């Protein structure tokens, strides 16, 4: 049956009847709005507290913006007794925070088969514009989210932030709070380890932030619960509500040091079959993250985004697209055929970089997980899980950049819970390494630990800077993110950090600011912190005392006072400013 508005409303009523709202369900479903074509009667709302049974407990999010569309996401928490039923919902996107200038809308159903998550590829949008969106379900509406499409044509200025490694049990997401308060970001990149699979019981006891489930996660249901746990965090919800995200997974979305055939943190048999665990982790990730759905048969989630003539961004999958297992020894490590990306992704990346260079896109960025720059020589590699463990694959990457004449090449990296800036060379330890091929910028973690002792962290930083000739800057102590302020003339990177994740009392400041001039693969001190740029209004807040405005309401005569249908019929709206 074709889904029309009339069918939607009829089926909403039938769903309510099937759930037995009137008598059988009792107070469990009172005020959910399933009884009256998705709209509760006034008496229903009077029967329960205004804040009860709020279905959008995990917030709203947007992601993977293109010039004409963007992914919108939410999750509808089913009421008691409704876990086996489909739940109807509506969505709406507009040019203004009050949602008066509607540009698109739709409706649909979600169910247990996708853990009651909702993902919409909202199209019909204009390039380089900010939009505001909302969901409605079970008689209530979500908070309002803000998103932004990619620009096209001539682009003068971009501001992008990137971070990684957000372990819920390790502390508060103050870094996300800081990102949410930057209203002028075009997009936020999350470069992996968005969740962690560990039980983290000791860390939970210290922070008071208890993982759900409180054990290592293995099954599809486990991964769903862990994603849900993370998305109850208010700061995580706020940063998603204010900015579109581009996400890529690393290993802990599945298991430590994962590759397609296994992981360090998986014991075959004792913890089930690896392929079952991998399948469940990937399914939960696709359900719970604002990422465009994978194509049938697609291996990995690598993809490309174009920001007009200013920036080409490729997000790489260094985990599950085609990585060979981590080497057991140096002889295995140095085999020429070993790959970190998989040969299909290697070929795709070569074509993407070549195309960006030929089309005169100013900056070519790679967003990926593990460090590219050498932390050890070929005789003494530092970490077999990083590009150091795949030297032949790294050389093929460098050869691709060189052969295509790619300039203004910058790699953005996560994974290592610390801040780095370095030049990329074939052999930085050579007597004359020559001109750098590009620059690597590494973000600190949101909460995952580096070196917690400040003195030890400083000693480690000074030691590495003395050993690594291509290293400009490193810090092992602070958590934070990297802000990129990008023009045609230069790319400025700023490491913004917080001094505390043990409570919500913290200070944030810029630890280091470096500039990469256009046409030069060098790092220089920035003359000043970059200035903000003009931005659309943030998504409006619902004050806690006004949370009841999320509910549908009718006046004594039965006229609809607020909600989406009210605004369409001209009666009015309960949205802020409505």
């Amino acid at each position: 049956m074709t889904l029309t508005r009339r069918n939607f409303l009829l089926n909403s009523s039938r769903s309510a009847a099937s759930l037995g709202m009137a008598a059988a369900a009792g107070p469990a479903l009172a005020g959910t709005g399933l009884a009256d074509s998705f709209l509760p009667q006034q008496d229903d709302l009077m029967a329960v507290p205004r804040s009860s049974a709020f279905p959008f407990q995990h917030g709203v999010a947007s992601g993977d913006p293109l010039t004409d569309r963007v992914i919108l996401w939410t999750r509808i928490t089913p009421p008691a007794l409704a876990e086996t039923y489909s739940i109807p919902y509506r969505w709406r996107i507009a040019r203004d925070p009050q949602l008066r200038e509607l540009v698109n809308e739709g409706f649909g159903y979600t169910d247990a088969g996708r853990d009651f998550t909702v993902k919409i590829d909202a199209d019909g949008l204009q390039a380089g514009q900010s939009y505001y969106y909302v969901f409605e379900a079970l008689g209530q509406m979500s908070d309002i989210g803000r998103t932004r499409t990619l620009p096209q044509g001539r682009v003068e200025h971009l501001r992008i932030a990137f971070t990684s490694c957000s372990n819920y049990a390790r502390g508060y997401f103050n870094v996300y709070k800081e990102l949410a308060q930057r209203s002028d970001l075009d997009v936020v990149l999350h470069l992996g380890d968005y969740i962690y699979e560990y039980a983290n019981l000791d860390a939970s006891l210290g922070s008071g932030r208890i993982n759900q489930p409180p054990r290592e996660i293995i099954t599809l249901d486990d991964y769903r619960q862990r994603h849900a746990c993370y998305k109850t965090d208010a700061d995580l919800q706020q940063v998603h509500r204010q900015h579109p995200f581009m996400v890529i997974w690393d290993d802990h979305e599945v298991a430590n040091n994962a590759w397609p055939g296994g992981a360090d943190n998986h014991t075959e048999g004792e913890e089930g079959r690896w392929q079952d665990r991998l399948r469940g982790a990937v399914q939960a990730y696709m359900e719970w993250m604002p990422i465009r759905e994978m194509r049938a048969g697609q291996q990995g989630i690598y993809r490309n985004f174009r920001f007009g003539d200013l920036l080409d961004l490729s997000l790489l999958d260094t985990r599950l697209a085609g990585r060979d297992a981590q080497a057991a020894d140096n002889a295995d490590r140095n085999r020429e055929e070993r790959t970190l990306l998989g040969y299909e992704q290697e070929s795709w990346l070569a074509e993407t970089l070549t195309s960006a260079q030929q089309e005169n896109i100013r900056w070519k960025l790679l967003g990926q997980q593990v460090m590219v720059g050498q932390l050890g020589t070929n005789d003494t590699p530092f970490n077999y899980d990083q590009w150091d463990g795949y030297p032949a694959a790294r050389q093929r990457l460098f050869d691709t950049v060189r052969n295509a004449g790619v300039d203004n090449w910058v790699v953005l990296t996560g994974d290592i819970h610390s801040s780095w800036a370095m030049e990329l060379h074939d052999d930085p330890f050579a007597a004359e390494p020559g001109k750098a091929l590009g620059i690597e910028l590494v973000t600190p973690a949101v909460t995952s630990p580096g070196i917690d002792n400040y003195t030890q962290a400083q000693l480690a930083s000074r030691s590495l800077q003395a050993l690594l000739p291509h290293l400009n800057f490193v810090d092992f102590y602070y958590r934070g993110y990297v802000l990129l302020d990008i023009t045609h003339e230069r790319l400025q990177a700023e490491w913004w950090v917080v001094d505390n994740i043990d409570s919500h009392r913290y200070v944030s400041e810029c630890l280091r600011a470096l500039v990469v001039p256009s046409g030069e693969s060098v790092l220089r001190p920035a003359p000043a912190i970059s200035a903000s740029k003009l931005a659309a209004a943030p998504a409006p807040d619902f004050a806690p005392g006004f949370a009841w405005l999320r509910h549908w309401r009718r006046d004594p005569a039965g006229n609809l006072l607020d909600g989406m249908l009210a605004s369409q019929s001209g009666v009015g709206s309960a949205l802020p400013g409505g």
Side-chain angles (χ1 to χ4, degrees), residues 531-551:
S532 181
K533 71 184 184 77
L534 187 65
D541 285 325
F542 271 106
F546 292 93
W548 60 270
L549 288 174
R550 297 182 175 104
H551 287 266

Side-chain angles (χ1 to χ4, degrees), residues 15 46 53 65 116 157 179 187 203 318 409 417 487 521:
S15 296
M46 296 296 292
F116 296 97
H157 191 191
L179 286 169
V187 71
T318 66
W409 181 52
H417 311 173
T487 68
S521 293

